Amino acid sequence: MPPTKGQRTRDHIVSTVAPIFNRHGYAGTTLEDVMAASGLKKGGVYRHFESKDDLAFAAFEHALALQGDRIRDAIVAGTTAEEKISGLARAMARNGDDPPIPGGCPILNTAVECDDAPGPIYTRLRTRARRAMTALIGAAEQLFADGIASGEMRDDIDPHDEAAALVSSLEGALMLSRLYADPSHVQRAAARVEERVRSLRRSAPRARRTAR
Amino acid sequence: MPPTKGQRTRDHIVSTVAPIFNRHGYAGTTLEDVMAASGLKKGGVYRHFESKDDLAFAAFEHALALQGDRIRDAIVAGTTAEEKISGLARAMARNGDDPPIPGGCPILNTAVECDDAPGPIYTRLRTRARRAMTALIGAAEQLFADGIASGEMRDDIDPHDEAAALVSSLEGALMLSRLYADPSHVQRAAARVEERVRSLRRSAPRARRTAR
Amino acid sequence: MPPTKGQRTRDHIVSTVAPIFNRHGYAGTTLEDVMAASGLKKGGVYRHFESKDDLAFAAFEHALALQGDRIRDAIVAGTTAEEKISGLARAMARNGDDPPIPGGCPILNTAVECDDAPGPIYTRLRTRARRAMTALIGAAEQLFADGIASGEMRDDIDPHDEAAALVSSLEGALMLSRLYADPSHVQRAAARVEERVRSLRRSAPRARRTAR
Amino acid sequence: MPPTKGQRTRDHIVSTVAPIFNRHGYAGTTLEDVMAASGLKKGGVYRHFESKDDLAFAAFEHALALQGDRIRDAIVAGTTAEEKISGLARAMARNGDDPPIPGGCPILNTAVECDDAPGPIYTRLRTRARRAMTALIGAAEQLFADGIASGEMRDDIDPHDEAAALVSSLEGALMLSRLYADPSHVQRAAARVEERVRSLRRSAPRARRTAR
DNA sequence: ACCGACGGGACCGCCCGTTGTT
DNA sequence: AACAACGGGCGGTCCCGTCGGT
């Protein structure tokens, strides 16, 4: 059964509007922007969303999904833990020049806008951003744990700390890239991550395949 | 010659208002907030600033100065390059639980709000943020260069890349700390920086003194 | 010939919606309320009514009919003019605690909302309210005239003035009852009417039967 | 010390706007109407009132004050209780053709609009209307009590019931007058009140002056 | 016969900036 | 030097009505 017309319109609104919210933030996005991007009038938009807040939340989830899909794809494309982690890093680095959604990493943008802002919408977005970030770090952590378990990697590292360091440096570098409009910062950060992962190889690598 | 009354009032406004802008961003700060924080009415504020934009810019510079002072102090407190770099990292890490200005690193906040926003004020702020970030990375870079020059550190590293990595990971970790309201992320990032710097020590350290 | 399906739906809408209009007034009733009460969607409603105005008018007529029925029943239940008038008064007094339509006397409500409001719908409603009020006063007037004609009542009263006084005091008291959410005001007003009617008895009542 | 300019403007707004609210009701009055009547723009209006609700409440109080003044004046103009009560009745009757505020009795209008309406503003208005109505009935009640105490009136009546009956019939008659745009209804109601009061005279009236 | 979907507009509240005044 | 007062405009929400589909 194909999606109903309403669903299609709703999806259309979300997908066209998500870049606006990701680029300009919640406060910086007006319904005028929404109308211009979606091609609908206010009345039409409000049929599908109860409020600007709801629309912003849906747009955020959409952006998260797009980025999540790309990262997931990069992970499954790798065979070894090292490849998977490198893929994750490169996927995040693409936020610099070829982001899945214009405006770069939605978690970063939302986290910075929401961290001190009052109001229920910011609480909602922050909570969602936390979940997404926890999932991202958790994914990286799992890859490190897999690499250790399979014997591919050294076992004297803390997967969680390693994952947090990876994400931190990539997000920070992405911020730099976006500030200077120069993707090289993230790209070099990704390269550093890959180098780091290489340095974690066991001397006698007998690993052939990471689980999961 | 003591500062005139007008100057003092202007400084008062800037210093009381800077935290608001740093926490809520330019768009999220209203003149109502400004009035409440400064204790002045709109007319009083507009005597010292031509527009909200000018005030926001002045507040941003104030926040930059506060953070810059703290970092500079931490640097000069160290004697070796390693100590200075560690000091810089720890100073930035304090943004997590004891920031020089509420809201955390103003460069990070401004960079993320301004990167895709239209309007002249965002261009001004972005330009200023770039300068500040360039200075920050440049300071770290100089410290690495000094460490190499003095023989304290290995010379097979790229000072600029090292500095960018340092700042990236600290800013990224700060974002995590603020997202989760948990300062441990930046603190662990600072610890990783210190460990990294330690690992750059020359085997036979004959370091005498870093310049500056 | 039984009512067609469309007719039944239309009646259903009117009867479920009339209380809303009577309680909240024309301006205070939205199509959302109408949809919630009737169980239909906007499209369904607009198939039976050309506009909100038409629906409001139909709802008003329905409310008038309900109240009119109750009053008529009370009148025919009495045998003497005095009983009939008392019945009329008590029927109106029931608007205080057990109204035929929630919200109390629709004539009162509509009269007050419409008296100074611009717009065609208010003119329509006002005109209809006048007719209903004229009928109500006329009915009471007729009862007094009957009482006089039959010799049951004194003939030194003006039936029209008497009827207007009756209605005025009951409507005014109903307003008080609704303002204070205390039905005693109308009930006491009805008691005063009954007392007044008793005081109009001829010394030697030879009443046989009032007409109608 | 003369009233400040802001106060004067505020009073100007209230006095020009009160008739609008009294005629069209709260829901029927828009800020456009307010702007047109007061000559100010929204920004100017919102300087003096936090919301439409606050303005409506102030306008209601103003209307109550105007009507209250007129009734008070009519009461103090009389010497005997009978004269005072008659004065009160005639003052209320003037709502039919020469109201102190266009739109007629504000208590009546507000009571009917608010009795079943949800929302905080209606609760506020209803509460205020109750207080005003209680004061009005209380004033009439006091006059009856004074008449009895001074021996001017018969003592076999209940002042409270008498007062409620007086107000009820006048308000109900006012509703009729406004519905038909015919002041004769209230005027005749006032005449009936005067007649009723006359009928309460003691056979041997020795009263010369009512207290209070 | 009923509903989903969308347009168009009005309304309230807010917010920045300017002017007159003290 | 500071403030009260006011203008002008935008942004979000709601609400009535219409049009096409089913």
Side-chain angles (χ1 to χ4, degrees), chain C residues 99-145:
Chain C
I101 181 151
C105 176
I107 313 183
L108 171 61
N109 295 333
T110 303
V112 173
E113 181 178 10
C114 299
D115 53 11
D116 275 314
I121 177 61
Y122 292 111
T123 305
R124 286 177 66 192
L125 290 174
R126 182 168 47 241
T127 303
R128 188 65 188 84
R130 281 178 182 166
R131 262 186 50 208
M133 180 56 83
T134 301
L136 176 60
I137 296 180
E141 181 178 349
Q142 184 63 41
L143 294 179
F144 281 109

Side-chain angles (χ1 to χ4, degrees), chain B residues 64-79:
Chain B
L64 290 177
L66 287 186
Q67 172 166 271
D69 288 348
R70 179 177 279 190
I71 292 178
R72 240 183 314 279
D73 290 350
I75 290 177
V76 300
T79 51

Side-chain angles (χ1 to χ4, degrees), chain A residues 67-82:
Chain A
Q67 171 166 271
D69 287 349
R70 179 177 279 191
I71 292 178
R72 239 183 314 279
D73 289 350
I75 291 178
V76 300
T79 51
T80 65
E82 184 182 331

Side-chain angles (χ1 to χ4, degrees), chain A residues 181-209:
Chain A
D182 170 13
S184 74
H185 283 97
V186 245
Q187 288 163 355
R188 288 187 344 241
R192 285 193 296 267
V193 166
E194 299 196 55
E195 186 183 7
R196 166 74 178 168
V197 181
R198 258 196 308 278
S199 76
L200 295 178
R201 279 189 196 148
R202 279 211 136 204
S203 16
R206 54 162 203 268
R208 298 262 310 271
R209 184 132 211 143

Side-chain angles (χ1 to χ4, degrees), chain B residues 49-66:
Chain B
F49 300 93
E50 280 200 352
S51 62
K52 182 190 173 186
D53 292 13
D54 280 10
L55 174 56
F57 192 81
F60 182 41
E61 293 224 302
H62 180 75
L64 290 177
L66 287 186

